[in-house]
Structure formats: structure tokens, C-alpha cells
Amino acid sequence: MGIDRFCSLDGSDSFWDWNRTWHTQNPDLTQCFQNTVLVWVPCIYLWLCAPLYCVYLRHHDRGYICMTHLNKAKTAVGLLLWMLCWADVFYSFWERNQGAAVAPVYLVSPTMLGITMLLATFLMQYERLKGVQSSGVMLVFWLVAMVSATIPFRSRILQALDQGCAVDVFRYTTFYTYYALLLVSLVLSCLSDRPPLFSQAILDPNPCPESGASFLSKITFWWITGLMVQGFRRPLEEGDLWSLNVADRSQTIVPQLVRSWLSECRKTKRPAGGSAQFLRRPARGRGRADKAGQPGEEAEILLVKAQSQREPSLLLALCRAFGPYFLVSSVYKIIHDLLMFVGPVILRLLIQFVNDANAPTWQGYFYTVLLFVCSCVQTLILQKYFHVCFVTGMRLRSAIVGAVYRKALVISSAARRSSTVGEIVNLMSVDAQRFMDLITYINMVWSAPLQVLLALYFLWQTLGPAVLAGVGVMVLMFPVNAFIAMKNKTFQVAQMKSKDNRIKLMNEVLNGIKVLKLYAWELAFRDKVSSIRKSELSVLKKSACLGAMSTFTWVCAPFLVALSTFGVYVLIDERNVLDAQKAFVSLALFNLLRFPLNMLPMVISSMVEASVSLKRLRVFLSHEELEEDSVENMVTSGSSDSVVISSGTFSWSRTDPPSLRRISVRVPEGSLVAVVGHVGSGKSSLLSALLGEMHKQEGTVSVRGSVAYVPQQAWIQNASLRDNILFGRQAKHSWYWQVVEACALLPDLEILPAGDATEIGEKGVNLSGGQKQRVSLARAVYCDCAVYLLDDPLSAVDAHVGKHIFQKVIGPQGLLQDRTRILVTHGLSFLPQADLILVMVDGEITEMGSYPELLGRQGAFAEFLRTYANNEQEEDQSDVTIPKKTQENGGPATLIGPGVQAAVPVANSRAALKSGGGQAEGKPNAGKLTEADKANTGRVKLSVFWEYMKAIGLSLSFLSFFLFFSHHLASLASNYWLSLWTDDPVINGTQPSSRQRLTVYGVLGLSQGFSVFFYSISVSFGGVLASQYLHQSMLTNVLRSPMSFFERTPSGNLVNRFAKETDTIDSVIPNIIKMFLGSMFNVLGSCVIILLATPLVAVIIPPLGLLYFFVQRFYVASSRQLKRMESVSRSPVYSHFTETLLGTSVIRAFREQDRFIQQNQDRVDRNQKAYYPSIVANRWLAVRLEFVGNCIVMFAALFAVVARDSLSAGLMGLSISYALQITTSLNWLVRMSSEVETNIVAVERVKEYEDTEKEAEWTLEDSPLPPGWPTTGQIEIRELGLRYREDLELAIRNISVTIQGGEKVGIVGRTGAGKSSLTLALFRIIEAAQGQISIDGVNIAHLGLHELRSRITIIPQDPVLFSGSLRMNLDPFDAYSDQEVWSALELAHLKIFVTSLPDKLNHECAEGGENLSLGQRQLVCLARALLRKTKVLVLDEATAAVDLETDNLIQSTIRSQFEDCTVLTIAHRLHTIMDYTRVLVLDEGGLAEFDSPANLIAKKGIFYRMAKDSGLV
């Protein structure tokens, strides 16, 4: 035979000999096999890998590593090995020369090995040049070489002991040296080299140790141990977390998805204004023709055609972006699936070994070791697979969040209407999470059928055709599960819809919480939220029943398969004997079947959920965008016009009727244009058209230079006041202070606790309306742009402040004098100074010209002016030059004296502010307002679990536990019964009692199924009960919190509680509890069975149990904290996102999209920084736990081998088949116990708001209220003082006034004088710190809050509307008839408008009332007040946003309708209160003056100066 001659010339050394290797007590391989196969295997491995590895390294160059001692040592050892191999070759030649007969193998094998060692040395150097710090390819090579050399190593020792002197000394010496050098190489390849030059890790202050970790450290996840130790010693903090790897950062990932989505869009929609441009250029380029030169009409035709083509596929885009990396996981999965079936095969061999008394003992140990090694390899590969999956999921989430954020910055207003803030936030939170969850298991789609086929193949070999009965049962199960999955999808969609509506409503409730409290509407909105929640929970209950059915079928499936297979096998032929080998190998295979069969429906339902999410995302990403070229950027040369609109017609969407028609305007550069008109005439729309926010139906719009925009409702960020003004621009000190002074913000800075470093809450909660508007204006002025679009910025400020701002900023002498300014205004006093006035009526410009021109025309404008203009206009004009900085406007001139020039106070106050700033720095939290979401530390308290059990109901909790226990008891009993069955004696080739055995086995199985069904129902229903109770109590607690709580708590935190945490309690916790209890009983059951079979294991289980417990506690300490940090860092992502959505038009106008995108990426990365270590910690744990499980398997097998004489084959089969399951169960147990702990945190966070401070009771049982109170409306304030927080000064001090019933009192004063604070005290939004307020002799502090607030009325400064019908906004409790509502609307001058709406009173208001103009919203608030018609009415700057004509109408309505009521008005426009009974002047929190307007003017005090400023004296 050729191979034998190759090994020895006479053929005496055969290649293989069974008697020598297997059927012997002392096995060994033949010399020929050792010299060929064992030498060639490592060589072939390296030669096959080298070309692919070199190509890989070429494409993944990380920079070179300088020569280090480690590299020198590796190279030296490699060269020594090469020399040794050549020494062997030369020795063989020398022997030949001496005349000895040398077989070819002694020349070929060392030569081959020598060349391979040279290749290995070359690869090590190439790796160094390409920056590889530790190589897996080389480690595997040295390991294979080492294992291959270990067998000859043992053989040669045995030979030397056997033959003594006859050994070949030279070859022995070279071989042992070779072996020692291999060992050194193996050790060296386990170490990691230094990082490459210029690598990111060197520059990073806290780099992720993964990139520098050795290969062994990577596959066992040892590199995270440092962090785990830290987490075990003390709770982890954000500073402990590493930077993200470059490949996982948003800036790397998001562009990948965006690129593939854009190419997908291009394929499906040719240039048709669809979504093909989003994100490629976030800054809206004006006029860059991006539509392949298509004229407008053609593009529109194309768009219509495009609709009929297929939609762009987001799935394909995702696959293109993340598929290649994810494919690696599929390779790992295939290897793992094949290795899974090694266990049952070895089990068969072990049972054979126990049955065969003549088998040599070493075979048992060999099988045991083989089982252990295979299990360990399987563990490492499975964890690597999961790691790749989770990292892909993490990247997917970053990409989706980034893409949604970028898209949200460019969608058109029509698209914005179809996606509310709540829905878009859900896309980021819930839908992105769905993908993350699916990615882990998506491979099961092909892996599960593969596993099923392999299992069936091995089962056929074991049991023959009887397996078909089992297959039949499985096939029957599929339609049942398909039905369940389909039903689940419909429930899923319904639940998501309810959740969207609930989050949307909660968002609005939180945004308008102040209005809810002022009107005492909390209960109405609580009921609205609760009714949505009720429908959500009813869907949850239905899906709980479905879940129980599916659990029942899938727990019973493997059992029914086993029962039918064994039954058919025994019954078709009585000579078929069910012995231990057949039964337990089959059982092990059935257990393997259980996982793919259980996972498949889960994966299918996950895919169903993800497909719903995919569709939602695709629809959102395909939304229509703002047209980039709707506003052209004029080239600088040519005309002197700065803004040109010619024959423009604009609508809010392609389908809407035009809102603006026939607009033609030319604005010369540097001119001031005033836009006037009634409420709803299209003034704000005109500015939107100039910003490109509207759809341009025809005409052209051109703007030259950069644009700054001040919206009508100021948009303020949750940042310091300074950051709000700088808005990402570079800080220029002197210009900044100029702007602050011109915008009248200096006095405000003196009041704020930390000057301009004070943090402003979300939506500017801690600023008054006027302050917000001035900050918004200051932001625009600071940016120093060419064109300013100012949407009524003076409405929210007092007349004198308005005048100051006009002088200093907008007017002909202001900071913006040489800029183009387009000012929407209701203030007539500014019109004479405008270069051009546009008069708008119903979306058209009816008149245009300068002030004198329009007066001369005697048109509608002239008539309007004559009606409303002040007679003192001339005097007003003459005053302009004197710097009057009093009251609200603020210069601190009043502190020094009215005649002093402005320069002095500005300088002084700047110095004062700087010193103030210094004090603020001394107290680091002086300017802090909002509280970041805190992460609790330490273990979750048992009380949280107890609270959850109480929420479920204790009896239901214990019932679930009992059902669980009985299910597992039945499971153990059925398997033990099976082992007794297999040990039944065989008489005449049959087992006599097999029918009886089969019946009992079936009964035990069915009882198992029913207990499963009922425990699944009880746990799911318990979960629904718990989430119902927890959500309701959280809702009530939040609504009962005082206003200060909402100012401190970012709405993102609250929305997070109502969205993410509630979702966790709804659907995650019940499932996790089921899995936790299941895996706990599995582990306990397995231990019991193993102990029954091999009591010796009792010696091993306690130490392994201790090791397991230690690893678990060690892990949970870090894992829990990482989960909390991840949860806490998620809130800012949502807060920032919500904030951005509210300010998109401002961000776009200033072209700040890139900066906001960067902020979003930073927040997402900060969140992933906590998430990434938590997934690695999971893998770290799994590797160690599975090692413990593998040890249990090994010891169960080992002790079974040792005790094979006293052990029945049935018990041994039972023991090892359970041991094979224990690894998975242990893994699940720790995973689930930590999941239970980390997810129960949601209960902890939801319960958190029980302990926060609450307002006084809403209603008191023994209320002292006389019926019909208040009857006259007399208000008596005695020694009133109040403060905003315990640690702050009094905001109002010692105010004592008595206001008679029916009096009309105006309240005036500068910003911070305490005007609004007084009204807050009246409504008890802030409780008095001293003194008291009585209405009609009743001390309001003794009333329930609803009793008080429902009996007095306020028209607030910010008109807040909620999404819902107009009627609901007027009367949420349905307390009034339609007739009363209509008459209120008529008195509020809204009847004509509402009658013109198609749905009349049922007209749907958009979120925040965005589909009504600000003035119309203010009128709706007036109508609310008219409906309630209480004896006390408070107007808080209520007519700020309406034009003068409407203002006059409102004032006359209030005078006539509230004639016998007490009216308190906080006034900006002093002329509205000149006919009031008395005026209350506040100054710095105290009462300055209180008398009739005429008397106050005669006194020539503060009020006189204000009236003079307003041109009234």
C-alpha cells in the first residue's frame, strides 16, 4: 500500500491499526499516522487561511506597530522552529549518505513543517505592519500544532520507557525542543501587543480595552472584567464608562443608513420632490437646483407617476448598511447548530459504553472529555454569535434614531400634521427598540428549520419511521401558531395606536399642565387618558389569552411529539423495545427540538412587530419634505432689493387651498417693513413663506443673505440663558452685552439666581412670556444676519419695553438699522417709522406703501388708524430721543435716576452682573433648575417586588407560583417514569407492560400542559392588573404634583415613565417572570435528577453552586447599574428630540441643522456608552456560567462512568440528558434573574412619584363653602408673602389690599415685580409663605384646590389648546349646553370663524392648537372664561397677541359681560386699564402704589412715568 511504503520502506509501519488505537486498554496511534496526518494538519490549516487572512489585513489596515520585545520574541521562536525543521531534514540526508534506509516521510514532513514555520514568521511580521495586536488565526495555528504534537510527545515517552537504549537521540532531542518552542509560541500568541502608532486608543482619555485585548480575552470577554470588578466594589458612574468604538459611533453609522436609503429612494422615485434629499444636506440650501433641472410642473407630473411605482424598501436599505457585518453571525450560528448535535451522539456512545461490560474504561473518560471540549467550543461560538447580533442591533438603533431625527428637521408642515410629536418620539423609542430585539433572533428563521431537520435525521436513525408521527404533530401545530401570530399582529397594531394616542395626550397634558391646574381640569384629562389606557389594556388582556394558548401549545409540542413517537414506535410492533439508548437519545433530541420550535413563533411574532415598525418608519422617512428651492438665494450683484416675492401663491401642503394669494412685494435692502392685519389674516404665513416653510404653488421668492427669525411664540431651549442667546455661535463679549442691553434683559439677569448662567427649564418654564420673547429676540440679534423676520416680538412685552426694544433694536436708530427687517406687529405707534407697510386681509396684501402714502389714500388702513391711533402720537414721537428705561423694559436707569445717560448704567450693571456671576460660580447649583433623571444605586429593594406582587394581588401571585410548581413536578415525574420504563426487563423480545407505561406517561404529560395554560393565564392577567394599577396611581400622583415639580422635572423624564417604563410593565415584566420561574424550576429539577442518578455529584454541586452564585452576584452588581445608567441617559435623547420638534422652523431659519444633528448624535452615543458594556457583561456572564454548566455535564458523565457497574442505563440516560439541558437553564436563570432585577426598576421608577411633594387636596369633605360662593367677589389680601422655593428669598412681601366686589383693578410693574406671582397666589399654584387671601370672607387656604380654581377664572398669557374638538377645549366636562357654548363664542367674536368651519364645534384642534392662529387661540381662552362666568376674573396679559381692533372688542366684551365681576388685569398696554377703578403698582415684590389711575398720574410716581412712556400723558 502506497502510504505504508511512504512511511517505511518495507511497509512495516502501517497507517492505521484498530487493535492498537481502540480495542486496547492502552491506546496509541501508529508511527505513520503521527508522522503524516499529525504533522500535516496544522500546515494545511495555515496554508488555507494565509491567502484569505492577507487579503483581510490589506483591507483593514490599522497602522503599524513598532518592534516590541514581544514581537522580537515571537519572530525569534518562529525562526528557531524553522531551523529545527531544517535540522531534521539535513539529518535525514546525512543518514542517507551513511547508507541508512530513510523513508520519504522523514524528508517530506519536516520540509513541509519548515516552510510552514517560515510562513508563520512572515505572517507575524505582516500582522505587525498592519497593526494587529493579537491574532486569532495564529493562536489557533499554534494550538492545533501543539495538540498535534502532544500525541507523539506521549508516544515517544512510552517508547523510551519501553525500548530504553534503542531510541534515536537526535530526533528525540529536536522533537522535545520543537515541543518546548511550540509551547512558548502558544503562550506568546496569547499576549497582546502595544497599540499601533497614531491609533485612536492612544488619543482617547478612556479608550475601550476591547481593541487592545488579546484574542483569548476577546473570545472569553475577559477584557470587561476590570469594569465588572469596579462595579462590584462600588456603584458604577458615568465617568467609569469607556468611549465607544469608532465603528459603533453615530457619526460612522448614521451616514451608512442614510446613503443606502437615499439610493433606494432614487431607484423608486425619480426626481420628484419626494424624500430623496433628506439628510444629504441638512442645511436647507436656498435655490440650489437639485432636481436635475426639471421645471416645477414637470416635477409634479413625475411625482404623480412615481406614486404608482413601488415604495422604497427600508428593509433593503438596512440590509445594505448592516448586512455584511451581520452575516458573520450566520457563520457562527451554522457551526453552533452543528455542534449542538454532538451532545446526543456522545450520549448514545456513553449509554452503549455502560451497556457493554467489556469496553475499556478509558473510552468512557474519552467520551466525557470530548463532551466537555465540544460544549466549551459551542459556548464560545454561541456567545460570539450573540455579541455580533447585539452589536448589530445597537448600531441599527443608532442609525434609525439618527435618520428619524434628521428627517424630522426637513419634513414639510403638512407631513408634520400627520405625525404628532408623540408618534415621532415613539418611532425613536419603541420602533427602534423592536429592531434591536429582533436582530438577536432573526437568524432563527433559517436556523430553526435546519435544527429541526438535523434532529429529525438523527431521530429517524434512532427510532425509524415512528418519527413521522412526531412530525405529523409538529405540522398540525403550525396552523395553530400561525393563527395566533396573525391575531397577535392585529392586537399589536391596535395597542401601538392606543399607546401613540396616550403618549400624545400625555405630552400635551405635561405641556399644558399650568392651564389644567388653573382651570381645575385635571380630572377631565385624567379620565381621557384613563379611557385610552382602558382600551390599551383590553387589547393586552386579549393578547395575554393568546399568549397562554401559544405557551400551552409550545410546552406541550415537544411532549406530544415524544408521546406520539414513542407510542407509535411501541404499538406498531411489539418487538420494538424502548431501551435507554433509544429513549434518552430521542429525548435529548426532542429537547433540542424544543428550542427551535419555541423560538420560531416568537421570531415570527417579533418579525410581525418589526414589520409594523418598519412600515411606520418607512412612511415617516418617505414623508414629503420642504422644497429646497422654494426660496432662492439671490446673487449679490444686480438689484438692491433684499427680499422679492413676485405673484406668489402659497399653501400649507400640496393638497390644501392657498393660504396666501397674489403676493408681490419688493423689499429694498436695509429697510423696515411692517406687516399689519387682523387676527388670522396671514401675517405669520407670509413669514413662513419667506422661510420656505410653505408649499409654493406659483411665483418666485428670493432672499439675499442669511436669515434670522423670531417666532410669535418664543422657542426656548433647556440650556443656560447665555447658551440660548449665543445659539451655537462664537461668544463675542462686547457684542453680547450690547445685545442683552438692547433687548432689555439686564434687569432680568439681576433677578435670575445665577445671572446669564441660570438654567432655563424646558419651553422656558421659569421665564415670563415677555422674558421668553426678549431672549428669542436677543438670539436673533446676536446672530447678526442680513434679513430679520420678526413675528410680533413686541406683543408679549409692556408698551414702554416695546418702545425701548424698538428704539434700541428694530427702529431706525437700533442695532439692526442697516439690516432688512420685516416686522409683523399690532403696535400702531411704530408704523410711522416703517419704510414700507403691508396691510393683509384674508391672505392677500390689500394695501402697500409708506405711512403717509397709506394715510393719504383714505383706504381701509387710514380708517383703521383713525379709529385706534392715540391722539398723543405727536408727543410720543417727540419723546423718542430720551432714554426712558423704567419698569419692565429694563435698564437699571431707575436705580440711578431718570436723567442719567444710558452708558453709565449699562457699564455698572455689567460689572454687577459679573460679580453676580462670580457668586453664582461659588454656589455651583445656583442657576440649576431641572433635575436630571437620577440612577438609583445598589440592589433593587425587596419592597419593590412586594409592591409589584401587591399590585397583582397576593392570592393570584401565590396561585401562579403553585401552578408553576405543579407543572415542573409533572414534567420530572413523566421523565422519571420514562427511565423506569426503559429499565423494564425484556421477555421474549418484548416489554409486557409497555401499554400501561405509555398511558401513565401520556396522563402526566397532559397534566403538565394544563398547569402551564393556567399559570400562563394567571401571570399575564396579573401583569395587566398590576400595570393598570401602577399607571393609574402614577397618573394621579403626577397630576397632583405642584407646578414647581414640573418646572424641575424635564418632560422627557415624565414621558419616559409613561412610554418606556409603562411599556416594560405592560409587556416585558410578565414574560420575564414566566421565564425566570421556568428556568429556576428547570435548574432545580435537573439537579434533583442528577443527584438521584449519581449521588456522588453531591460533592461537586455545592462548590459549583457557590461559584455560580458568586459569578451571578458579581455580574448583577455591574449589570443593574449599567442598565440604570442606560435608562437615565435615554431621557435626554427624547427631551432633546421633543425640544427640536417644537423648534424646527427656528433651527432651519438659522441653518443650525448640523449642530443639532451633532447634539443628537452625542446624546445617542452617550446612551450607547452605557448599553455596550451591558451587552458585553451579558456575554461575559454567559461564558462563565456555561462553563459551570459544562462542568456539571462533565461530572455527571464522569461519575456515571466511574459507577457504571452499579448504575442502570435508564437512570444514566436520564441524568445526562438533564445535564445537557442544565447549561441553557443556568444561563437563562441568571439572565432572567438579572432581567427581573433590571426591569423591575421600571416599577421602582413609576412608584418614585408617590413620594414627591403633592398639592393640597382637590376637594375637602367638610368644605366650609357657602352655596354659590363667591357671591360678590370681594378679595382681601393681608400681609401676603410667597416664595418659589424654600431656599429662595420672598418673591412678594407684605402686600395688604382690599378689592371690593365688582371693582376693575389693573396690576402693573416691571418684570420680576411680582405681577404673575400675585395671580399664582390667588389660584394657590404657589402656596402663601405668610399672610392670607380671602374671597368673600372665606380664607382660600381652607378650601380644596378644585373648589377654589373652578370658581374663579383666568385668561392666561400663553393660550394653550389641546388636541381634540373645539368644544372639548371650551368645556371638557360637558357641563354646558351647545346654546351656551355658541353664545360664549359669539361674545368672544369667534362665532363667524367657527361657523365657517366644516365641523363647527367638532372642529379638530391640532396638537397645541397649531391650526389656529395665536390670536384665535387667545379668543378661545376668552370664550372659556365667558362660559364659566365666575365672580372673579384674572387677565394675565391676555390680549398681547391680538391686533388693536380685536383687543378693543375683547375689552368691550369684558366690560359688558363681567360688569358685576371683580376683574384683575395684568396689563402691558396701559390704555386698556386707564378706565379701571384702581391700579395696583408693584415694585420688587412690594406694593408701591394703589389708587385710581387719575390720582396716580397726579402723584407723578412710578405709574405716571409708565403712562408717559406709553404716550398716555
Side-chain angles (χ1 to χ4, degrees), residues 272-289:
S275 62
Q277 311 99 358
F278 105 96
L279 255 172
R280 185 179 56 237
R281 197 169 49 244
R284 193 183 68 254
R286 297 173 187 277
R288 282 176 285 202

Side-chain angles (χ1 to χ4, degrees), residues 20-32:
R20 194 171 160 190
T21 50
W22 196 251
H23 307 298
T24 172
Q25 289 296 342
N26 190 10
D28 196 7
L29 290 167
T30 64
Q31 199 63 43
C32 179

Side-chain angles (χ1 to χ4, degrees), residues 1280-1284 1288-1294 1329-1330 1484-1485:
L1280 180 70
L1282 66 81
R1283 54 167 62 91
Y1284 280 87
L1288 296 178
E1289 301 279 308
L1290 287 171
I1292 296 184
R1293 287 182 298 284
N1294 307 332
Q1330 60 185 52
E1484 294 188 353

Side-chain angles (χ1 to χ4, degrees), residues 1418-1437:
Q1418 198 79 61
L1419 294 175
V1420 171
C1421 292
L1422 173 65
R1424 280 179 194 161
L1426 290 162
L1427 257 184
R1428 286 165 73 130
K1429 197 80 190 302
T1430 55
K1431 279 289 174 189
V1432 177
L1433 172 68
V1434 180
L1435 299 171
D1436 186 356
E1437 304 172 352

Side-chain angles (χ1 to χ4, degrees), residues 382-457:
L382 180 65
Q383 299 320 319
K384 205 67 193 145
Y385 158 74
F386 274 130
H387 184 63
V388 172
C389 286
F390 276 108
V391 170
T392 310
M394 175 177 104
R395 291 179 182 175
L396 206 59
R397 179 169 159 245
S398 290
I400 288 171
V401 169
V404 168
Y405 185 85
R406 292 169 184 220
K407 180 72 182 184
L409 285 175
V410 293
I411 56 174
S412 66
S413 43
R416 250 314 284 282
R417 259 180 284 164
S418 63
S419 296
T420 61
V421 174
E423 281 169 12
I424 300 174
V425 171
N426 259 353
L427 287 178
M428 287 182 83
S429 56
V430 182
D431 296 317
Q433 190 67 40
R434 288 259 157 83
F435 276 104
M436 227 163 147
D437 298 341
L438 175 67
I439 280 292
T440 331
Y441 300 113
I442 187 85
N443 273 321
M444 287 307 290
V445 170
W446 59 263
S447 163
L450 173 71
Q451 289 177 35
V452 170
L453 285 172
L454 283 170
L456 290 177
Y457 167 73

Side-chain angles (χ1 to χ4, degrees), residues 1108-1165:
Y1108 164 83
F1109 181 74
F1110 170 71
V1111 165
Q1112 197 257 6
R1113 292 298 350 139
F1114 186 71
Y1115 156 80
V1116 167
S1118 302
S1119 155
R1120 185 180 49 226
Q1121 204 53 24
L1122 285 168
K1123 181 90 175 178
R1124 279 174 175 160
M1125 281 154 74
E1126 191 267 331
S1127 187
V1128 165
S1129 61
R1130 202 186 305 119
S1131 294
V1133 177
Y1134 300 153
S1135 295
H1136 178 248
F1137 191 60
T1138 312
E1139 190 173 80
T1140 305
L1141 287 173
L1142 296 171
T1144 42
S1145 53
V1146 178
I1147 295 167
R1148 285 196 289 256
F1150 286 96
R1151 309 220 191 146
E1152 285 288 324
Q1153 293 100 315
D1154 288 341
R1155 182 167 66 85
F1156 276 81
I1157 286 171
Q1158 188 54 51
Q1159 284 180 5
N1160 169 257
Q1161 289 183 352
D1162 293 344
R1163 282 170 165 81
V1164 170
D1165 285 351

Side-chain angles (χ1 to χ4, degrees), residues 570-709:
V570 173
L571 297 174
I572 53 174
D573 183 355
E574 60 180 24
R575 298 211 164 274
N576 281 350
V577 172
L578 194 67
D579 59 11
Q581 189 181 330
K582 287 194 181 77
F584 290 106
V585 170
S586 304
L587 210 58
L589 288 165
F590 286 138
N591 282 332
L592 284 182
L593 262 183
R594 177 175 292 184
F595 184 68
L597 289 184
N598 275 340
M599 285 306 298
L600 207 54
M602 253 182 67
V603 172
I604 289 168
S605 69
S606 249
M607 286 174 74
V608 165
E609 286 176 14
S611 70
V612 173
S613 295
L614 191 74
K615 186 177 174 202
R616 284 157 54 98
L617 281 163
R618 179 180 58 70
V619 166
F620 179 73
L621 293 178
S622 309
H623 269 328
E624 185 186 20
E625 296 181 8
L626 294 171
E627 297 146 32
E628 287 192 355
D629 55 359
S630 62
V631 177
E632 293 165 21
N633 207 350
M634 282 195 285
V635 193
T636 29
S637 61
S639 79
S640 61
D641 293 334
S642 191
V643 176
V644 178
I645 307 179
S646 55
S647 337
T649 300
F650 304 92
S651 62
W652 282 109
S653 76
R654 290 173 186 278
T655 51
D656 285 4
S659 307
L660 298 175
R661 289 175 298 279
R662 298 186 284 282
I663 303 285
S664 293
V665 186
R666 301 186 84 82
V667 178
E669 195 168 342
S671 59
L672 169 59
V673 179
V675 184
V676 294
H678 292 303
V679 170
S681 61
K683 304 185 293 298
S684 298
S685 301
L686 181 66
L687 298 192
S688 294
L690 287 173
L691 287 169
E693 301 275 321
M694 293 183 78
H695 170 59
K696 182 175 68 178
Q697 292 188 349
E698 52 190 60
T700 56
V701 184
S702 313
V703 176
R704 180 191 299 175
S706 55
V707 175
Y709 171 55

